[in-house]
Amino acid sequence: MAKKKEIQNLVQQHKPSMVCIQETKMEDIDRRICGLLWESDDFDFSSKPSEGKSGGVLTIWDIRAFSATSIQMYDSILWLEGEYGEDKKRVIIVNIYAPCDTRRKRELWRCLYDRIKEKNGERICVAGDFNAIRYEEERTGANVNSRREDMEDFNEFILSSDLVDMPLHGRKFTWSRSGGTIMSRLDRFLISEEWSSTWPTSTQWALDKGLSDHCPILLGGSSQSWGPKLFRMLNCWKYLDGYNDFIREQWLNMKFDGWGMYVLKEKLKLIKGKLKDWHKQHTQNLEGKIKSAKEELNFLEVKGESSTLSTMEIARKREVFSNLYKLMNLNCSIQCQRARIKWLREGDANSSYFHGCIN
């Protein structure tokens, strides 16, 4: 399961042609909200409302790459059929959010099996949060025996449906309990033999985990560089610890003689230079700080996959997570302000940039 912030990062870094999200509330999803997650206006989407507090799914796709011809919804399933690529290859994309209850999961596997068998010979990709593991090695920190029945049902579904479970690269697990040591591989892509034959180099990757308890997973894709960021006077400074005290101290320490407007002009000119230095220490290179925090967090996550973290390491993991949360909120505020400034200057001619950065 990938939350919105992780999907935003995934879109920016890899520019996929389709994104599947499993979320807890989908009732209010509309094109405006999907536009905040996508990088351009060339998209379409379909969402399935949640059932109670879970089960909602959302699929967004690039209309230049994929054209949907049929959209169907079942319990915990969003089923899309359409044509992909320049040669219009027929494909089926299935986005699922499996329930935790064993009985309901069996019903889901049975429904999926029946639908897949009806489409025998088609290129099929089933993606999402399956809420099940295949082997004992796909979970750590919890009693696997309690899930053995789930494992058997899940493996039987994959084998009987003739689906291929590709190796996962980048990470061993895709979900972890926040601040804990329980980790599992719950998210994956399952593809048909026809899909594998058409695209034999298909590879699935578990990307770095951010604030969500799930890692985003990617089928194919490539990295993108967005280049250097411009410096601006930022509204978010006032929310940083020490900002108000810094401004008050600097303002009171500036001494100028002359009439009022001259003193005000000189103080503003001088404090601008002070703020530039303060910016370098506190808010510059936010992306580098976020990357560093993510690397440390993921280092501890990966370490916890093979050994038990010490009390000090668990405390450090929580501290890094809290710091990452603050840094990402700060970066979100900065990107929002930049988008508004650029839109005011360039108007609708810059709609793609505005939609890409409004988050």
Side-chain angles (χ1 to χ4, degrees):
M1 179 171 63
K3 303 294 186 183
K4 291 181 180 178
K5 288 183 182 294
E6 280 64 45
I7 294 298
Q8 291 161 4
N9 292 336
L10 185 152
V11 169
Q12 291 178 349
Q13 295 171 10
H14 302 278
K15 296 180 73 175
S17 57
M18 180 173 292
V19 167
C20 298
I21 305 174
Q22 298 75 42
E23 258 287 8
T24 55
K25 282 193 174 182
M26 290 290 166
E27 289 77 4
D28 299 326
I29 290 294
D30 55 22
R31 186 172 182 85
R32 180 188 63 82
I33 293 176
C34 292
L36 303 182
L37 302 173
W38 204 251
E39 63 167 1
S40 70
D41 292 328
D42 300 315
F43 74 89
D44 203 351
F45 73 97
S46 180
S47 64
K48 178 184 179 298
S50 58
E51 299 156 13
K53 293 186 178 180
S54 63
V57 291
L58 166 66
T59 302
I60 311 174
W61 61 90
D62 188 333
I63 58 176
R64 296 167 298 183
F66 176 77
S67 175
T69 58
S70 174
I71 301 175
Q72 303 170 49
M73 299 180 189
Y74 306 93
D75 187 16
S76 303
I77 302 171
L78 183 56
W79 182 287
L80 273 72
E81 299 182 16
E83 298 175 337
Y84 176 77
E86 295 181 357
D87 45 2
K88 305 294 185 181
K89 285 185 169 61
R90 178 175 168 77
V91 297
I92 298 174
I93 308 294
V94 186
N95 184 9
I96 77 163
Y97 185 8
C100 295
D101 179 70
T102 299
R103 181 187 59 81
R104 291 185 60 202
K105 245 185 293 197
R106 283 177 181 163
E107 294 174 357
L108 173 60
W109 304 150
R110 190 178 301 112
C111 177
L112 270 174
Y113 170 79
D114 292 341
R115 294 289 296 142
I116 290 172
K117 283 305 178 182
E118 289 176 4
K119 303 294 182 178
N120 187 37
E122 298 272 9
R123 303 177 188 89
I124 301 175
C125 176
V126 185
D129 179 356
F130 291 83
N131 262 316
I133 61 173
R134 296 197 64 189
Y135 310 108
E136 295 181 6
E137 296 77 16
E138 292 185 349
R139 173 167 292 158
T140 183
N143 183 8
V144 178
N145 290 327
S146 63
R147 295 291 182 178
R148 192 164 300 280
E149 194 175 359
D150 275 0
M151 291 165 51
E152 293 174 356
D153 291 342
F154 189 34
N155 279 314
E156 175 62 26
F157 156 70
I158 294 173
L159 293 174
S160 61
S161 302
D162 297 322
L163 295 174
V164 178
D165 183 18
M166 298 173 290
L168 181 67
H169 299 274
R171 298 288 295 269
K172 185 177 180 181
F173 305 113
T174 64
W175 172 88
S176 66
R177 181 167 294 172
S178 180
T181 57
I182 301 177
M183 289 170 279
S184 302
R185 182 189 173 188
L186 303 180
D187 313 88
R188 65 185 79 219
F189 288 95
L190 299 174
I191 59 176
S192 65
E193 292 287 351
E194 291 74 21
W195 184 292
S196 181
S197 299
T198 305
W199 296 289
T201 60
S202 294
T203 308
Q204 65 173 328
W205 290 84
L207 307 181
D208 287 345
K209 185 165 76 69
L211 300 178
S212 172
D213 51 0
H214 287 255
C215 299
I217 55 172
L218 177 72
L219 184 63
S222 59
S223 299
Q224 298 289 329
S225 172
W226 290 81
K229 305 296 182 183
L230 298 175
F231 166 81
R232 299 206 182 271
M233 304 297 288
L234 304 172
N235 296 332
C236 61
W237 283 350
K238 60 186 178 183
Y239 300 114
L240 294 176
D241 293 337
Y243 173 78
N244 291 331
D245 293 336
F246 172 81
I247 294 297
R248 188 179 296 108
E249 178 183 355
Q250 296 299 323
W251 191 268
L252 294 176
N253 288 338
M254 295 176 189
K255 306 297 181 183
F256 294 97
D257 295 325
W259 64 294
M261 289 303 298
Y262 169 79
V263 172
L264 177 62
K265 178 180 74 71
E266 291 300 314
K267 282 193 172 186
L268 291 174
K269 184 193 301 183
L270 186 57
I271 206 168
K272 180 178 179 181
K274 299 288 185 181
L275 277 172
K276 284 185 177 180
D277 294 334
W278 188 87
H279 167 75
K280 291 178 181 178
Q281 298 176 20
H282 294 82
T283 58
Q284 198 173 51
N285 192 29
L286 267 181
E287 293 181 352
K289 292 177 181 178
I290 290 173
K291 180 181 179 181
S292 178
K294 280 188 174 182
E295 288 175 350
E296 183 175 1
L297 180 62
N298 282 285
F299 170 80
L300 293 171
E301 290 269 1
V302 173
K303 184 178 181 180
E305 293 178 354
S306 56
S307 62
T308 303
L309 296 178
S310 66
T311 303
M312 186 176 297
E313 287 173 326
I314 292 176
R316 177 58 182 167
K317 181 179 173 182
R318 290 171 178 163
E319 179 183 350
V320 173
F321 184 89
S322 176
N323 185 44
L324 177 61
Y325 182 87
K326 294 178 181 177
L327 289 172
M328 292 188 73
N329 275 340
L330 191 62
N331 192 47
C332 181
S333 173
I334 292 172
Q335 295 297 339
C336 182
Q337 184 180 353
R338 285 175 173 168
R340 290 193 183 109
I341 291 172
K342 197 168 179 67
W343 186 84
L344 286 172
R345 186 173 66 245
E346 299 182 12
D348 291 335
N350 190 54
S351 58
S352 61
Y353 178 91
F354 178 80
H355 287 293
C357 293
I358 190 61
N359 293 301

